[in-house]
Amino acid sequence: MAEGSVAEVKQSLAAVGYLADEPAALVSFLAQKLGKPVLVEGPAGVGKTELAKALSRASGRELVRLQCYEGLDEAKAMYEWNYRKQLLRIQAGGEAGWEDVQDDIFSTDFLLERPLMQAIASREPVVLLIDEIDKTDQEFEAMLLELLSDFQITIPELGRIEATTMPIVVLTSNDSRELTEALKRRCLYLWLDYPELEREMEIVRLHTPEISETLARKLVEVIRMVRGLDLKKPPSIAESIDWARTLLLLGAEDIDRETFTQSMSIIVKHRTDIDLVAERVGVKLAEPSSPAAG
Ligand SMILES: Nc1ncnc2c1ncn2[C@@H]1O[C@H](COP(=O)(O)OP(=O)(O)O)[C@@H](O)[C@H]1O
Ligand SMILES: [Mg+2]
């Protein structure tokens, strides 16, 4: 991917199956030109993770992914010493004595590289995806800041490891908590939201080419109507795609009341949401089965 313009970036993303809107294409272009990390925020299922994967496919760079979770620490994100291997080496001892052993066990051979280290140490430029950063705590964010501004990691026993190639870094957040200003300042920012009708239709048809244009349009219209209700979890692009596949499997040519009732659990997944949608659309749901009384 050696694009000279935003339009070319958009095209190369489309060529690998990602339909970017203008802001997403612009930020992807700038990320490569400015060498800055991109922070992508937005609700679940709108294509945040997929953008990073698409950038990797389009650029031919390997994708290095750090999936964040509560309690994620440096040892799992950056590197840790392989204690087992170190212990075995110590037990094996050596003719030359302890000093040799010590040199040995704190060399890269005894290091377990985690995603951040892998991305920095890689000889080929990579796409580094730090997925769902909002699941970690502020302490972890602070640790990342250093890495994101200098692209280097310091290991006390080994010294500084600097990136020899510039990774494209994509951080995603489901917006479950405010990220620190310090982090935002270092990143280009992209807010991804539910797409416009026409683009969502294109995305659905890209993932399920067998669906007719009429049915795809109807599907996206219904999805948008459902999104307008005050739901706990509104359906995302992921649900639109799943629903399109389901409708094809059911052989549905239209979304009539019966089809809707039959398949609505694909797009709404909370009991209270299901009730709300059913009420609004006027469909009768089967009562949850309970042990027959009397
Ligand atoms: N712009 C897009 N072009 C093509 N497919 C998309 C696009 N946006 C989302 N998708 C599809 O929607 C689904 C959900 O996207 P994902 O990246 O997992 O969402 P998020 O990370 O925001 O929760 C994936 O199957 C992805 O391929
Ligand atoms: Mg994701």
Side-chain angles (χ1 to χ4, degrees):
M1 201 159 67
E3 290 78 8
S5 72
V6 179
E8 280 169 42
V9 170
K10 195 171 178 174
Q11 248 174 32
S12 69
L13 287 172
V16 294
Y18 191 85
L19 305 179
D21 59 6
E22 287 306 320
L26 175 68
V27 127
S28 305
F29 170 74
L30 289 177
Q32 293 173 67
K33 294 290 169 195
L34 300 175
K36 276 193 145 204
V38 182
L39 171 61
V40 190
E41 248 182 333
V46 294
K48 300 184 297 295
T49 302
E50 192 59 35
L51 175 60
K53 291 184 182 170
L55 282 169
S56 141
R57 292 196 296 272
S59 61
R61 293 170 173 224
E62 185 197 343
L63 180 78
V64 177
R65 180 178 186 167
L66 174 65
Q67 176 61 53
C68 298
Y69 52 87
E70 210 183 313
L72 173 64
D73 58 13
E74 276 188 45
K76 288 285 172 286
M78 235 181 229
Y79 71 89
E80 62 188 320
W81 291 106
N82 187 341
Y83 298 121
R84 252 181 68 86
K85 198 171 165 189
Q86 285 179 324
L87 198 66
L88 287 173
R89 176 70 186 89
I90 292 167
Q91 282 168 349
E95 263 131 57
W98 169 240
E99 293 224 327
D100 259 15
V101 174
Q102 202 175 16
D103 280 352
D104 231 24
I105 62 174
F106 290 114
S107 66
T108 45
D109 281 353
F110 291 78
L111 206 61
L112 293 171
E113 282 187 358
R114 302 304 183 200
L116 297 179
M117 176 65 98
Q118 231 177 300
I120 293 289
S122 171
R123 286 178 188 283
E124 301 294 327
V126 301
V127 172
L128 170 63
L129 165 63
I130 303 176
D131 214 9
E132 307 189 351
I133 174 84
D134 52 328
K135 289 198 176 145
T136 65
D137 52 24
Q138 293 204 352
E139 204 180 310
F140 187 83
E141 249 184 72
M143 185 275 291
L144 264 187
L145 287 181
E146 251 188 274
L147 177 91
L148 294 181
S149 34
D150 305 332
F151 292 110
Q152 66 178 37
I153 290 176
T154 305
I155 303 177
E157 297 85 350
L158 284 180
R160 213 165 57 197
I161 300 191
E162 284 175 53
T164 47
T165 55
M166 201 55 128
I168 298 176
V169 184
V170 179
L171 301 103
T172 80
S173 161
N174 285 335
D175 201 22
S176 71
R177 71 171 173 87
E178 274 282 331
L179 301 175
T180 59
E181 282 306 317
L183 182 80
K184 287 192 169 175
R185 213 167 35 239
R186 278 176 180 74
C187 299
L188 298 168
Y189 186 75
L190 174 67
W191 174 264
L192 269 192
D193 214 329
Y194 305 116
E196 297 291 302
L197 188 144
E198 293 299 327
R199 205 166 60 85
E200 186 157 7
M201 266 183 68
E202 273 185 63
I203 295 173
V204 165
R205 298 190 72 201
L206 185 77
H207 284 264
T208 44
E210 308 91 331
I211 200 169
S212 74
E213 185 174 345
T214 331
L215 188 56
R217 180 172 296 276
K218 180 91 176 259
L219 179 153
V220 172
E221 281 170 0
V222 175
I223 288 275
R224 291 167 69 86
M225 182 274 289
V226 172
R227 271 181 205 146
L229 304 173
D230 190 20
L231 300 185
K232 201 157 140 178
K233 169 71 179 71
S236 68
I237 303 178
E239 275 78 34
S240 298
I241 295 170
D242 281 347
W243 203 25
R245 292 193 177 134
T246 304
L247 293 177
L248 277 177
L249 287 173
L250 295 176
E253 269 148 37
D254 187 17
I255 306 177
D256 53 19
R257 201 160 292 243
E258 196 194 331
T259 310
F260 186 82
T261 315
Q262 194 181 11
S263 59
M264 69 184 280
S265 61
I266 301 291
I267 58 169
V268 272
K269 295 166 181 172
H270 286 279
R271 185 69 218 179
T272 48
D273 286 354
I274 293 176
D275 288 345
L276 209 135
V277 172
E279 187 192 309
R280 171 67 200 272
V281 181
V283 297
K284 266 219 174 327
L285 294 176
E287 282 302 314
S289 54
S290 52

